[in-house]
Amino acid sequence: MLALSWRRIPHEARALSLPHLIAELADAGRRPGAERGTVMRVFRPPLELAWTELRFPNRLGKQTAGVRLCLARSGCTQALAVFDFQIEDSLALFDVWETFLRTVAVGETIDARRGRRREQWG
């Protein structure tokens, strides 16, 4: 499952470090027995994103589940992506996550007549 949400943030909030925010978010929602991976950062101006992976035993304790958390920001728009999967599906879903990271766009609008435009406010 891939879930996305976004919101406008105050201009001052752009100074907060995304790697720090994603680490705090991952640690706040940590379940018993969970392991957090390294926080990865991607900077593709004007887009900045940070993501990490959590692994934990599922509720039945028989399999390991994974979740990748990604915070992406451009201008005064910030988005959160949550990618839930079973660890045994990691290889099959590798291309899905890589495509998401390569193509994610935040703070842009698509106008059918004018094409892609960057956020003009903030």
Side-chain angles (χ1 to χ4, degrees):
M1 175 187 73
L2 179 61
L4 301 165
S5 66
W6 66 274
R7 68 184 197 123
R8 302 281 298 155
I9 58 173
H11 183 73
E12 302 78 35
R14 296 184 320 166
L16 298 172
S17 162
L18 283 185
H20 178 74
L21 289 174
I22 200 72
E24 281 194 2
L25 179 64
D27 290 342
R30 229 162 152 179
R31 299 177 187 179
E35 298 174 13
R36 179 172 62 86
T38 304
V39 173
M40 307 300 287
R41 183 173 182 257
V42 176
F43 191 61
R44 203 172 57 233
L47 177 75
E48 175 188 10
L49 67 86
W51 68 274
T52 193
E53 181 176 309
L54 295 168
R55 291 181 178 210
F56 50 89
N58 72 3
R59 291 192 172 122
L60 301 175
K62 296 180 181 177
Q63 297 175 323
T64 302
V67 62
R68 289 185 180 153
L69 302 172
C70 176
L71 271 176
R73 179 172 59 206
S74 180
C76 287
T77 304
Q78 185 167 289
L80 171 66
V82 180
F83 187 50
D84 287 325
F85 58 96
Q86 294 297 318
I87 293 301
E88 59 268 12
D89 296 330
S90 295
L91 274 166
L93 296 171
F94 178 81
D95 287 339
V96 173
W97 186 250
E98 288 297 309
T99 299
F100 168 76
L101 291 176
R102 192 175 59 252
T103 61
V104 66
V106 175
E108 296 184 7
T109 58
I110 305 292
D111 184 319
R113 289 179 244 157
R114 297 183 191 140
R116 181 177 280 187
R117 295 184 335 187
R118 287 216 164 35
E119 159 180 296
Q120 298 299 314
W121 54 86

